[in-house]
Amino acid sequence: MPRTPRRWKCLLGAVSGLTLLAAGTASAQTPAATEALRQRPPQDEVIYFLLPDRFANGDAANDHGGYAADRLVSGFDPSNPEFYHGGDLAGVMQKLDYLQGLGVTAIWMAPIFKNKPVQPTVGRPMAGFHGYWITDFTRPDPHFGEPETMKALVEAAHARGMKVYLDIVTNHTADVIQYRECPQNDCAYRPVADYPYTRRGGVDGAAINDGFRGDGGTEDFSKLTDPTWAYTPYVPAGEETVKVPAWLNDPLLYHNRGDSTFRGESSTLGDFAGLDDLFTENPRVVQGMIEVFGDWIDDYGIDGFRIDTARHVNPEFWQAFVPAIMERAKARGIPNFHVFGEVYDHDPAALARHTRVDKLPAVLDFAFQSVATDVANGAKAPDALATLFAADALYEGGPEAALQLPTFLGNHDMGRIGGFVLKAHPQASDEELLARTALAHALMMFSRGVPTLYYGDEQGFAGSGGYGGGRQDMWDGQVETYRTEQRIGGLRDPYDRQAPLYKAIAEMTRLRAAAPALRRGTQTVRAAAEAPGLFAFTRALPGQAGETLAVFNTGTTPLTANVVVDPASTGWTASRGACPATPAAPGVVRVTVPPLDYMICVSEGPAQ
């Protein structure tokens, strides 16, 4: 068995010199506190993404959501990973102190809107605990709480200087509309070429919707009066008015073409896993969604939106929706409203396209997720990160715009960073697993972008990965697999602030909060090895003195190396690690970094 480096052992114990961010009891919301948080640009934040159903149960009275106790009616079954477990908005509010201690400044919640509680999916019943099967876009799901609870949560978060982001969906609703041609709900996609909007059931069918072109104009869509172009859609008895606002109940406002293959035109026109795909080219849908989500800004003072399935909506929708939402936020006194879309693609060019064509202000940085994970695992050399960051020029606005890209290491769909590390190193010691997971968080925390933590990672949750493999209960729940899974850093009590990763991440957020350059600074890659080992970059605020140097060792042995810096940086202080006080030569510092570790050094010098 290989010898365990001393630095890895230290990570299992106390993180020396750690100072947690001020926690305290939340005071009443004040105009000054709200104004201060709203002046922060998006790149200043540390986001924490959570599923309300799995984070904390603050009110057991709403576990069944007001429905009958039958699990197939209410969707509540805390022993089944695919059903509701009882977490809610009250639980999030009760754990704000825990989040603030971690250094979180913005809370992103999976959709909180009212969902269809249970629906058949992949041949078995599943519940909408995740929030993506929306029927009522105007209120919280009763499993999570009432509108008053949501307002109280936002006010409590704002009183602590924490923002609240909502996960929104415009691509689809819950699966309500059915097709008569496929009663088993397994409807293959029917393309426009074979099933045009102006013929019933195919090119040889009866003429319908005379003169409809589909060019997006209101007058044009007034000619769309018959929805039977591909299938014969209908709403089952008893569900005719289940969707809110009421306009969502009209089948004409949906594409009705069957299940997407996620290729070609079906990517934007097909039903996402059977969910009702909105006709987002229709001006009524565009305006309706602006009204729905604009009201959440007006009524609750929401600070940002994560947009689900953004790539599956036509660009013209976003070109209208985003400016309208940004104006709505500004009118509410929220000038730094953060909008970022989900584009599940690991290619920076594909991600950047949606900022240039769709005009999304930012997208979740899936490219960073894959590269950073591989680098922390030793599967790729640090030069892969250099290549990734060089592609920042592709985004609309270039490297400056890339500062607003939320970076992350795992999520509810793909799994957790702890699971990725464990899978890559099944025979590694606990110390190595912890060190690699902490290193991945450090790569995310200090590089350009908005670091986005996934709930439970700070407690060492790992999981099996894949869809549903990373949706554990934060508390000691009833799902046996969740209870027995290996954790990075060892099994701890729920919400343990002494958990090794909680302490390590809290140290990182403290360092980031103390150094504006690590949040807003221009990033320059200084060294990137072609084998696991050295990675270094500096970040500097344009027009201001000094630079901050971040150095990482992704290898398993100590390294000593010379790193190029700005020649004006003649003196250095250590924020973390053994930083040299002076350069080895003008424009060069000599650094020594333990294995799977990092250092942060700060220089003051003439303005850049």
Side-chain angles (χ1 to χ4, degrees):
M1 184 175 180
R3 180 171 149 309
T4 301
R6 180 171 301 179
R7 181 61 192 170
W8 297 358
K9 293 180 179 178
C10 291
L11 277 169
L12 282 174
V15 179
S16 61
L18 176 62
T19 303
L20 294 179
L21 298 178
T25 302
S27 59
Q29 185 178 10
T30 65
T34 303
E35 177 63 21
L37 75 88
R38 285 179 173 164
Q39 293 308 308
R40 297 198 309 255
Q43 55 265 40
D44 273 12
E45 311 306 336
V46 174
I47 302 173
Y48 188 92
F49 172 38
L50 62 86
L51 276 63
D53 181 64
R54 303 298 165 89
F55 183 66
N57 190 344
D59 182 5
N62 62 27
D63 285 356
H64 293 282
Y67 299 95
D70 184 339
R71 65 189 289 274
L72 295 181
V73 176
S74 71
F76 178 70
D77 182 353
S79 67
N80 189 316
E82 295 175 341
F83 279 67
Y84 285 96
H85 289 181
D88 49 35
L89 299 174
V92 177
M93 188 157 47
Q94 292 171 12
K95 297 299 181 183
L96 290 179
D97 194 68
Y98 169 88
L99 295 176
Q100 194 169 32
L102 186 62
V104 172
T105 65
I107 303 166
W108 155 24
M109 295 185 291
I112 64 165
F113 316 103
K114 184 178 180 181
N115 269 230
K116 192 171 186 177
V118 180
Q119 65 182 37
T121 303
V122 293
R124 63 182 184 274
M126 296 173 63
F129 72 90
H130 43 68
Y132 295 97
W133 300 343
I134 304 171
T135 55
D136 187 343
F137 287 77
T138 67
R139 60 149 294 153
D141 190 280
H143 291 87
F144 299 153
E146 299 301 316
E148 295 76 17
T149 315
M150 180 61 188
K151 289 181 179 179
L153 169 58
V154 174
E155 290 176 0
H158 284 175
R160 292 174 176 268
M162 303 167 76
K163 297 179 180 180
V164 177
Y165 295 169
L166 288 187
D167 199 324
I168 69 168
V169 186
T170 67
N171 177 64
H172 57 261
T173 70
D175 182 15
V176 175
I177 297 173
Q178 305 299 310
Y179 305 133
R180 297 197 183 280
E181 291 81 357
C182 40
Q184 299 302 315
N185 206 24
D186 54 351
C187 309
Y189 181 76
R190 292 185 169 180
V192 176
D194 296 327
Y195 297 87
Y197 292 104
T198 53
R199 292 292 185 271
R200 178 176 293 126
V203 292
D204 297 325
I208 58 174
N209 305 320
D210 183 43
F212 177 71
R213 300 184 307 277
D215 64 5
T218 301
E219 181 180 352
D220 184 39
F221 271 91
S222 69
K223 300 172 184 177
L224 193 69
T225 59
D226 187 331
T228 60
W229 48 81
Y231 285 102
T232 306
Y234 71 98
V235 176
E239 294 190 289
E240 294 89 349
T241 61
V242 71
K243 296 181 184 179
V244 180
W247 58 266
L248 287 164
N249 294 297
D250 184 354
L252 279 167
L253 297 178
Y254 298 83
H255 286 123
N256 301 317
R257 290 191 169 276
D259 289 342
S260 175
T261 65
F262 304 106
R263 297 185 301 275
E265 70 175 48
S266 85
S267 182
T268 55
L269 303 185
D271 294 340
F272 191 106
L275 300 168
D276 299 350
D277 193 73
L278 280 156
F279 211 137
T280 45
E281 299 89 340
N282 191 322
R284 181 67 188 93
V285 175
V286 177
Q287 189 56 40
M289 285 299 177
I290 291 171
E291 292 170 359
V292 162
F293 292 116
D295 285 347
W296 281 87
I297 298 172
D298 291 346
D299 296 343
Y300 296 90
I302 298 302
D303 303 290
F305 288 157
R306 178 265 194 184
I307 301 172
D308 181 64
T309 53
R311 74 183 306 171
H312 301 300
V313 176
N314 57 301
E316 296 81 7
F317 177 91
W318 300 126
Q319 293 162 12
F321 180 87
V322 171
I325 287 298
M326 299 300 276
E327 284 302 316
R328 195 79 168 253
K330 288 179 182 177
R332 182 63 162 79
I334 310 172
N336 289 299
F337 197 81
H338 196 187
V339 173
F340 51 98
E342 179 205 25
V343 178
Y344 204 138
D345 199 305
H346 298 289
D347 180 1
L351 295 174
R353 176 187 178 277
H354 292 273
T355 68
R356 289 189 172 274
V357 178
D358 299 14
K359 301 302 181 183
L360 292 173
V363 291
L364 282 159
D365 198 346
F366 279 85
F368 174 88
Q369 185 279 326
S370 60
V371 174
T373 297
D374 285 345
V375 170
N377 272 328
K380 287 185 178 179
D383 64 341
L385 280 169
T387 300
L388 169 73
F389 292 133
D392 285 352
L394 299 175
Y395 292 95
E396 182 73 20
E400 183 176 355
L403 295 175
Q404 294 194 25
L405 302 180
T407 51
F408 66 102
L409 301 170
N411 65 22
H412 57 322
D413 289 332
M414 64 172 58
R416 299 179 178 277
I417 180 60
F420 302 146
V421 172
L422 186 59
K423 183 177 181 180
H425 303 278
Q427 304 303 317
S429 66
D430 290 345
E431 292 85 355
E432 180 180 351
L433 295 173
L434 177 59
R436 288 189 183 277
T437 307
L439 178 65
H441 280 91
L443 288 168
M444 174 180 71
M445 192 65 66
F446 303 119
S447 61
R448 67 97 180 104
V450 189
T452 303
L453 305 169
Y454 184 44
Y455 88 98
D457 283 357
E458 75 280 4
Q459 293 296 328
F461 289 177
S464 58
Y467 184 87
R471 303 181 179 191
Q472 293 85 348
D473 302 323
M474 280 286 283
W475 63 92
D476 189 15
Q478 299 181 33
V479 177
E480 187 61 25
T481 54
Y482 293 167
R483 293 166 58 89
T484 58
E485 288 170 350
Q486 181 176 350
R487 292 198 190 180
I488 307 299
L491 185 64
R492 316 287 295 198
D493 291 334
Y495 313 101
D496 186 359
R497 299 192 193 196
Q498 297 304 310
L501 280 168
Y502 184 99
K503 296 169 68 175
I505 293 169
E507 180 190 24
M508 296 176 202
T509 61
R510 176 182 59 80
L511 293 170
R512 190 176 189 272
L518 290 176
R519 293 178 271 121
R520 307 181 187 182
T522 301
Q523 178 173 293
T524 303
V525 174
R526 298 295 191 178
E530 296 180 2
L534 178 65
F535 182 61
F537 57 78
T538 55
R539 299 193 64 180
L541 296 169
Q544 296 189 28
E547 61 184 339
T548 298
L549 172 67
V551 186
F552 306 85
N553 180 1
T554 70
T556 55
T557 58
L559 70 78
T560 298
N562 295 323
V563 176
V564 172
V565 294
D566 193 301
S569 297
T570 56
W572 294 87
T573 57
S575 291
R576 186 184 190 277
C579 299
T582 57
V588 177
V589 293
R590 189 165 181 80
V591 296
T592 298
V593 190
L596 301 179
D597 202 5
Y598 70 95
M599 60 193 303
I600 303 292
C601 311
V602 179
S603 171
E604 295 183 1
Q608 302 296 307

